C-alpha cells in the first residue's frame, strides 16, 4: 500500500517552511510521495485579498517541481465555491484507492480541526501528522492527540520538526516593502511573483 502525504494551504505564497515540513514528513514516515494542494476558496480566509487560485497553484507547482517525490494537485482549484478538506480527501480516495493517507498539519491546526466541516471524514480516512512547529505546549498537544484518537478512532502522529519562524503573511509584508526574500521562498516562486506583480 502506497503511503501518501497531503499538505494543503492557501500557499499565499508557498515558502521554504512548507517544503521543509513536507521533506521531514517524507523522511520520518517513509512516505512514497507528498501531494501539495493549494486551496481553491478557503472559507476561513475569505476576507483576505490574495492572488487567484491559478496563480497560487502555479507558484506551488514551481516550488515542488524539482523534488521527484513531490507533486502539486489542482483538485481544489477546479472546484467551484468554498473548498472543504473532507471533499478533497474523498476525491483523493477515489483516485488513489489503494493508498494510506497522512494529512500533514501544524500543531495549532489540531486544536481547530473539529470546527471544520465534516471533520470525522478527514479523521476516518487519514492519519493526522501534527508538526510541532509552533509555540504549543507539548503536553497539551499530546492530550489533544489522545482525545481526538479516542473520539474519532484515528491515528495522530506527532512529528519532530525544527521550528521555522516563517509565515506567508510576513513574506507578503516583506515583498510589499521590496525587501529581499530570496532566502525564504524557492527561486522559481520569487521569479513568478515578480513577473506577475502579485504582491
Amino acid at each position: 500500500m502506497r503511503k501518501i502525504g497531503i499538505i494543503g494551504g492557501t500557499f499565499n505564497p508557498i515558502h521554504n517552511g512548507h517544503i521543509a515540513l513536507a521533506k521531514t514528513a517524507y523522511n520520518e514516515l517513509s512516505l512514497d510521495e507528498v501531494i501539495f494542494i493549494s486551496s481553491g476558496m478557503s472559507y476561513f480566509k475569505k476576507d483576505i485579498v490574495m492572488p487567484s487560485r491559478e496563480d497560487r497553484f502555479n507558484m506551488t507547482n514551481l516550488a515542488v517541481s524539482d523534488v521527484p517525490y513531490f507533486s502539486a494537485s489542482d483538485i481544489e482549484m477546479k472546484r467551484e465555491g468554498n473548498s472543504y478538506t473532507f471533499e478533497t480527501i474523498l476525491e483523493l480516495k477515489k483516485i488513489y484507492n489503494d493508498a494510506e493517507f497522512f494529512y500533514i498539519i501544524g500543531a495549532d491546526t489540531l486544536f481547530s480541526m473539529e470546527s471544520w466541516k465534516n471533520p470525522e471524514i478527514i479523521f476516518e480516512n487519514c492519519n493526522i501528522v501534527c508538526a510541532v512547529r509552533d509555540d504549543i505546549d507539548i503536553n497539551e498537544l499530546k492530550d489533544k492527540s489522545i482525545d481526538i484518537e479516542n473520539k474519532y478512532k484515528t491515528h495522530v502522529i506527532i512529528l519532530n520538526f525544527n521550528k521555522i519562524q516563517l509565515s506567508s503573511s510576513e513574506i507578503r509584508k516583506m515583498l510589499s516593502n521590496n525587501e529581499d526574500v530570496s532566502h525564504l521562498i524557492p527561486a522559481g516562486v520569487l521569479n513568478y511573483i515578480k513577473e506577475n506583480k502579485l504582491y
Side-chain angles (χ1 to χ4, degrees):
M1 180 177 288
R2 290 180 62 75
K3 297 169 67 175
I4 299 177
I6 302 167
I7 181 167
T10 51
F11 298 138
N12 181 30
I14 191 167
H15 56 65
N16 292 341
H18 297 124
I19 303 300
L21 172 56
K23 285 182 177 178
T24 299
Y26 174 84
N27 290 321
E28 290 202 16
L29 303 176
S30 300
L31 302 180
D32 292 294
E33 64 178 297
V34 179
I35 302 172
F36 287 71
I37 301 175
S38 54
S39 66
M41 181 65 71
S42 171
Y43 62 104
F44 284 123
K45 300 185 178 183
K46 60 184 178 181
D47 297 325
I48 298 176
V49 176
M50 65 177 70
S52 69
R53 60 182 70 190
E54 290 81 10
D55 280 328
R56 289 183 291 106
F57 170 74
N58 289 340
M59 286 191 285
T60 303
N61 198 36
L62 286 166
V64 306
S65 61
D66 62 343
V67 181
Y69 50 85
F70 284 173
S71 64
S73 170
D74 61 358
I75 194 169
E76 289 195 2
M77 190 187 82
K78 296 186 293 187
R79 190 186 304 144
E80 294 298 322
N82 289 334
S83 290
Y84 296 108
T85 301
F86 84 91
E87 293 177 328
T88 301
I89 297 301
L90 291 177
E91 284 189 57
L92 290 173
K93 289 284 286 187
K94 292 177 182 177
I95 298 169
Y96 304 96
N97 55 17
D98 62 341
E100 181 179 8
F101 291 112
F102 295 77
Y103 189 66
I104 305 164
I105 60 173
D108 55 333
T109 302
L110 189 67
F111 293 90
S112 63
M113 279 187 74
E114 289 179 282
S115 68
W116 295 7
K117 191 172 181 67
N118 297 335
E120 69 282 354
I121 292 176
I122 306 169
F123 293 129
E124 178 184 329
N125 290 285
C126 299
N127 300 290
I128 306 300
V129 181
C130 186
V132 184
R133 60 177 183 178
D134 306 290
D135 294 326
I136 298 292
D137 184 291
I138 189 65
N139 292 319
E140 187 179 352
L141 179 62
K142 287 179 179 177
D143 289 344
K144 185 63 178 178
S145 298
I146 293 169
D147 177 58
I148 285 178
E149 285 183 331
N150 291 336
K151 190 181 296 185
Y152 297 98
K153 305 300 182 254
T154 189
H155 186 203
V156 178
I157 302 164
I158 297 179
L159 185 70
N160 292 318
F161 180 63
N162 292 327
K163 294 178 182 177
I164 295 179
Q165 300 302 322
L166 183 61
S167 73
S168 294
S169 59
E170 291 169 358
I171 292 172
R172 292 196 301 272
K173 185 176 180 179
M174 292 175 71
L175 284 164
S176 66
N177 292 330
N178 293 315
E179 295 178 47
D180 179 25
V181 296
S182 59
H183 58 298
L184 302 177
I185 60 178
V189 175
L190 181 55
N191 289 336
Y192 186 90
I193 289 170
K194 290 178 177 178
E195 289 171 3
N196 294 276
K197 300 179 174 61
L198 296 185
Y199 300 102

